[in-house]
Amino acid sequence: MLGASSFTYAEATWTQTLPDWIGSHVRMFRFFDGVPRLIVPDNLKSGVSRASFYDPEINRSYGMMASNYGVGVLPARPRRPKDKEQASRCTLLELLSDN
């Protein structure tokens, strides 16, 4: 279980657009030499078209990438900071790299 291990993959990209978002996931899978059963991303527009507590809508291309790799996607719930703990650490690294 990667979430419990605190094993982190960090990558800096110029933008948060869909190609960078999906490319980062593919490189992460390659780095770990495998895929997890489930991904819990933050509600970035490149990955989640509509954030919802009960019925989130995943971006079509992001969903196709997840399907290709056999990975489930369960976006972090809106306004639930505990769901976003690992994502927040990565965002902090991204903000530091912008300066």
Side-chain angles (χ1 to χ4, degrees):
M1 177 176 233
L2 291 174
S5 72
S6 294
F7 194 48
T8 302
Y9 173 83
E11 177 179 313
T13 58
W14 288 108
T15 68
Q16 293 181 345
T17 60
L18 188 61
D20 285 337
W21 178 250
I22 291 177
S24 293
H25 280 74
V26 171
R27 288 184 289 277
M28 176 185 65
F29 298 152
R30 194 174 312 130
F31 175 79
F32 288 132
D33 197 27
V35 296
R37 291 183 186 166
L38 183 67
I39 297 174
V40 183
D42 201 357
N43 288 301
L44 178 69
K45 284 290 184 188
S46 294
V48 181
S49 298
R50 186 176 57 85
S52 169
F53 188 79
Y54 296 104
D55 190 25
E57 186 177 315
I58 305 298
N59 179 293
R60 180 195 255 192
S61 297
Y62 186 53
M64 289 173 60
M65 181 274 308
S67 176
N68 181 55
Y69 283 95
V71 176
V73 178
L74 181 64
R77 297 172 296 175
R79 294 172 292 286
R80 293 287 191 249
K82 289 188 178 190
D83 289 356
K84 300 178 184 184
E85 184 176 329
Q86 295 297 328
S88 296
R89 291 179 189 168
C90 293
T91 303
L92 176 62
L93 291 173
E94 180 181 327
L95 291 174
L96 291 174
S97 68
D98 286 345
N99 292 333

